[in-house]
Amino acid sequence: MLRGICLFLPLVALSGLLGGQLHTELTGVLDDCFCDVESIDVFNNFKIYPRIKRLTEKDYFRYYRVNLKRPCPFWPNDGHCAIKDCHVEPCPESQIPVGIKSGNYNKYSQPADKVSDVTECEQAKNLGAINSTLSNQSKEAFANWEKHDDAQDHFCELDDETAPDSEYVDLLLNPERYTGYKGPSAWRVWNSIYEENCFKPRSVYRPLNPLAPSRGDDDGEGFYTWLEGLCLEKRVFYRLISGLHSSINIHLCAEYLLDEGWGRSIWGPNVQEFRQRFDTAETKGEGTRRLKNLYFLYLIELRALSKVSPYFERAFVNLYTGNRQEDGNTKELLLQFFDEIKTFPMHFDEKSMFAGQKIEAKILKEEFRLHFKNISRIMDCVGCSKCRLWGKLQTQGLGTALKILFSEKEIQNLPEHSPSKGFQLTRQEIVALLNGFGRLSTSIQQLHSFRLLLKDNR
């Protein structure tokens, strides 16, 4: 498989030339792992991106339940963005597939078909994201497990899906785009994430931080000297956040409002906006680091998906929406997706993390979890509803990936024919995990498109 990937490298190196100052620097091996940019480009763009795009268009993955009205827990609310493109259109209950509304209860097996619809709906409210026909005793136990908040596993502050303000959103009808939301309100969100939650002392300033004191011609190398001095886990934490930030910025550049004329908005790539965020000259060399962190984050979530495949491969697991044919097709596509992921020869080795003395490793892991959980809470401070939606979803997707990576033993010990108390995923986590990775995959595909546009412009 490795040889198959390497055969593509000359093509990628040729087509991946970046215009202007963004050129061959985005190449070669990534820090803290043994994978290279070119191999990821080929694997993603030719094999993964087409599959994840089809998956996230399926009904099971397109409807996400979220509370966009939760107050900011850290500072007074700025009020919601008044720009029309910030608005999120919730999905009427009548349009939500019945299986998703009812809690995803599996009605396909014979015993389940004999239960009345009313009873099914009542039972479904107490069951988790993926269930099958269980004994009454199993159902009762499973419902109790759902009520138990296993705080050690949660890397995100999850929305209460039963809250009155929680609504279903059709992700396909509310795509992530540049809405015009920017300035001090947006800066404050990212500043809080980086400055207060990335294990960073206040005396060390992140490069190009608009809220930091002016430092003249400082190129930020002091920051990276400090970063390299951190332990692997804390360095990884920063790179994950930077990679997520880069991915979001690429989406905004690729889906930019180009024209509002004639009553119809036209969205497309904005090369100048991309240059401002990632060009070597425009960012004092920072842009290449940002993009490499995107690839690093991609590898982390790819590894999590590979690890969690046994959870979904069990025969009793169904991604239930109520449409038997659709659900069977979705499960088949998901398993094909997992099979493709397993062929990648250069997965990130998470065993290198938290590998020190047991007590110190446990303390560090808990710090890591709490820092990330705090970042998920900051997403409720985003003033633009559409930005908040996609920020919450992608943060939860990464949090779910981290939960998977730190649950290896529980996943290995999953019972074949029943749910497990040791490891469970809610439907909300599953939808965020697949869509969050879909956003990363799309970013890398869009990055390739920007390379070609920059080459043409040059």
Side-chain angles (χ1 to χ4, degrees), residues 408-419:
E408 182 175 19
K409 290 182 180 178
E410 291 80 0
I411 294 173
Q412 288 175 345
N413 296 324
L414 284 170
E416 183 62 35
H417 302 292
S418 65

Side-chain angles (χ1 to χ4, degrees), residues 10 28 96 135 147 170 181 281 284 335 368 375 404 426 441 453:
I96 306 299
S135 67
K147 294 176 184 177
D170 185 337
Y181 175 67
K284 298 183 179 180
L335 296 184
F368 194 98
I375 288 174
I404 292 165
T426 66
S441 178
L453 287 171

Side-chain angles (χ1 to χ4, degrees), residues 248-458:
I248 291 171
N249 279 336
I250 291 174
H251 303 153
L252 305 187
C253 295
E255 292 291 334
Y256 202 91
L257 181 59
L258 301 177
D259 188 14
E260 282 190 286
W262 303 98
R264 181 186 175 192
S265 298
I266 298 175
W267 306 83
N270 185 323
V271 175
Q272 184 56 37
E273 187 74 21
F274 180 84
R275 283 184 186 276
Q276 289 176 3
R277 296 174 189 260
F278 297 108
D279 186 277
T280 302
E282 295 274 354
T283 63
K284 298 183 179 180
E286 175 73 10
T288 303
R289 284 186 166 111
R290 294 172 183 173
L291 293 174
K292 284 193 171 183
N293 289 339
L294 161 65
Y295 283 85
F296 182 77
L297 173 57
Y298 180 92
L299 283 180
I300 293 286
E301 294 204 14
L302 187 76
R303 181 60 169 168
L305 288 163
S306 174
K307 286 283 187 181
V308 83
S309 60
Y311 181 83
F312 295 94
E313 288 167 353
R314 294 174 294 172
F316 82 94
V317 167
N318 288 297
L319 306 177
Y320 182 68
T321 67
N323 182 326
R324 185 191 296 264
Q325 184 174 352
E326 166 85 4
D327 296 346
N329 183 244
T330 302
K331 174 74 180 286
E332 183 180 355
L333 284 175
L334 183 63
L335 296 184
Q336 290 172 359
F337 174 69
F338 285 135
D339 288 342
E340 196 68 74
I341 285 175
K342 293 173 186 176
T343 67
F344 190 66
M346 290 170 280
H347 282 279
F348 178 80
D349 181 11
E350 74 285 353
K351 290 190 176 76
S352 59
M353 295 179 64
F354 307 105
Q357 294 186 4
K358 193 170 183 179
I359 295 177
E360 287 83 354
K362 186 175 182 180
I363 292 172
L364 183 57
K365 178 183 174 182
E366 180 64 5
E367 263 194 289
F368 194 98
R369 186 187 69 81
L370 291 176
H371 275 248
F372 193 84
K373 194 168 187 176
N374 212 40
I375 288 174
S376 74
R377 298 176 69 207
I378 293 173
M379 289 299 147
D380 284 318
C381 300
V382 177
C384 164
S385 293
K386 188 166 289 183
C387 306
R388 182 183 292 204
L389 164 66
W390 286 101
K392 285 167 75 79
L393 181 141
Q394 290 170 86
T395 304
Q396 187 178 0
L398 175 52
T400 304
L402 295 173
K403 171 181 172 178
I404 292 165
L405 290 178
F406 296 129
S407 303
E408 182 175 19
K409 290 182 180 178
E410 291 80 0
I411 294 173
Q412 288 175 345
N413 296 324
L414 284 170
E416 183 62 35
H417 302 292
S418 65
S420 163
K421 180 179 180 180
F423 181 82
Q424 281 294 327
L425 293 176
T426 66
R427 180 182 171 276
Q428 190 183 21
E429 288 175 308
I430 295 167
V431 172
L433 176 67
L434 269 294
N435 276 283
F437 181 73
R439 295 279 75 205
L440 298 178
S441 178
T442 301
S443 292
I444 291 176
Q445 191 273 337
Q446 289 171 337
L447 182 56
H448 175 70
S449 298
F450 273 114
R451 285 169 170 150
L452 298 179
L453 287 171
L454 287 165
K455 183 181 176 184
D456 290 343
N457 285 357
R458 183 185 61 183

Side-chain angles (χ1 to χ4, degrees), residues 1-18:
M1 178 61 200
L2 179 58
R3 181 178 300 172
I5 285 183
C6 290
L7 288 176
F8 282 104
L9 293 187
L11 172 63
V12 175
L14 178 63
S15 64
L17 288 173
L18 296 172

